[in-house]
Amino acid sequence: IVIVIIAVVLGLTLRQNRSEFESTFLSRCEKFNQYDCKKVWGAFQQAYVNKDPCKVPVEAYDPLIAAALFKPQCNRMMFWSKTKDVVHGFTEKRDCFVTLEDTLLGSVLDGLTWCGKEGSKDTFTNGCPGWSDCENNTVRSFWIRASAAFADVACGDVTAMLNGSINTPFNPTSIFASVEVPRFIASRVKNLNVVMVIQKNNISNCTDPSLKNLTQTLDTGITFSCKDVSESRIQECGAKPEIACGACW
Ligand code: N1C
């Protein structure tokens, strides 16, 4: 009897987990019109279900990206590295910029962990490999693929917020440096404007040597600019809609 009870409870929790993930996915998806969320869910699942969660290549998400295409928003696209909270604190309140998390796929999967298992058709949210446990893990491959698609449609003036409180604001291992910047092409992107977020104890700024690597990676023809902006100014601009987007920094 005890074993049966344990089995039932375990079975229920696992099922609940699965349906909870699926309902989070669908309810977040349904906030966006123009998408067939059931179809998007199907395309999403096929990327990792019934697979070893360390053997999900970036390309496994190609059909998902095809099912939920990104629309280019010229001059409004915002990229970031190690500044997620500042960026989203700002974009939540103001309409100036669009981040990947404002698009269907980014917003649906932001903050979530998911993976499959060989021999199972379920989605698991526990026991999934961490970001750097193995290279081709379910979650990391998704963010690489989605970031690549988002960067592919970048156009006009592009903005990126980098962190002035770390040693290497432009870190070659970040998704921003390794996936996004190399995909900006001069025929679409005019200028890359880096906003260096400066806190009280900042250790780097726009003169940081890592930005040299950034300008060297940039496609010839894309101009580069960088501005040191205090975190409090970014917050102020987020809180005051009367400040025009272009006057924030
Ligand atoms: O490795 P990063 O920063 O440079 O990646 C950020 C970069 C942004 O410009 C986004 O367009 O790549 C995109 N991106 C996301 O939008 C995103 N949302 C949530 C990349 N990663 C994203 N995450 C999670 O943040 C992801 O699961 C991983 O843990 C971090 C990577 O962010 P980072 O190292 O600060």
Side-chain angles (χ1 to χ4, degrees):
I1 281 177
V2 172
I3 294 177
V4 169
I5 292 175
I6 291 175
V8 167
V9 168
L10 213 77
L12 280 179
T13 8
L14 285 178
R15 270 186 55 171
Q16 214 180 15
N17 259 343
R18 181 188 65 196
S19 54
E20 195 185 300
F21 185 89
E22 183 175 351
S23 39
T24 305
F25 187 105
L26 291 175
S27 68
R28 287 184 183 184
C29 177
E30 268 141 24
K31 300 216 171 71
F32 291 76
N33 304 318
Q34 328 151 329
Y35 290 97
D36 180 347
C37 291
K38 289 262 163 59
K39 201 172 134 193
V40 177
W41 168 250
F44 171 67
Q45 274 192 309
Q46 67 72 41
Y48 63 87
V49 156
N50 196 13
K51 285 186 192 166
D52 177 334
C54 276
K55 289 185 184 154
V56 177
V58 171
E59 307 80 59
Y61 288 101
D62 286 353
L64 173 66
I65 301 293
L69 278 183
F70 294 106
K71 283 178 222 78
Q73 304 245 25
C74 297
N75 307 319
R76 296 181 61 217
M77 292 177 73
M78 168 72 83
F79 296 81
W80 51 266
S81 193
K82 310 289 183 283
T83 50
K84 193 177 184 197
D85 294 342
V86 193
V87 171
H88 292 138
F90 179 78
T91 53
E92 251 165 43
K93 297 188 205 121
R94 298 286 309 260
D95 246 359
C96 307
F97 297 102
V98 177
T99 64
L100 178 51
E101 289 69 32
D102 300 307
T103 68
L104 175 80
L105 291 180
S107 89
V108 163
L109 293 160
D110 193 25
L112 302 184
T113 301
W114 67 93
C115 63
K117 206 184 258 178
E118 267 181 306
S120 163
K121 49 182 175 40
D122 289 338
T123 296
F124 300 87
T125 54
N126 289 314
C128 298
W131 187 259
S132 16
D133 287 344
C134 49
E135 200 184 316
N136 285 325
N137 72 68
T138 325
V139 174
R140 187 185 192 185
S141 290
F142 167 77
W143 286 111
I144 292 178
R145 186 62 191 90
S147 303
F150 190 60
D152 279 339
V153 299
C155 47
D157 288 318
V158 167
T159 309
M161 277 196 193
L162 301 185
N163 191 333
S165 300
I166 54 176
N167 265 313
T168 316
F170 184 70
N171 190 322
T173 66
S174 66
I175 291 188
F176 178 64
S178 64
V179 176
E180 295 176 327
V181 172
R183 300 179 94 98
F184 296 156
I185 48 170
S187 55
R188 299 179 56 92
V189 175
K190 202 174 115 226
N191 177 262
L192 172 64
N193 183 216
V194 165
V195 172
M196 189 66 78
V197 182
I198 303 295
Q199 292 169 310
K200 273 199 200 77
N201 303 313
N202 70 302
I203 47 177
S204 17
N205 55 34
C206 282
T207 68
D208 189 82
S210 70
L211 294 180
K212 247 232 132 73
N213 303 337
L214 171 43
T215 53
Q216 282 162 1
T217 323
L218 263 193
D219 193 13
T220 340
I222 302 179
T223 55
F224 175 80
S225 53
C226 183
K227 199 157 183 192
D228 294 318
V229 182
S230 69
E231 188 179 11
S232 55
R233 173 64 187 169
I234 296 168
Q235 283 160 350
E236 182 192 18
C237 215
K240 292 185 180 163
E242 61 273 22
I243 305 176
C245 290
C248 280
W249 44 77

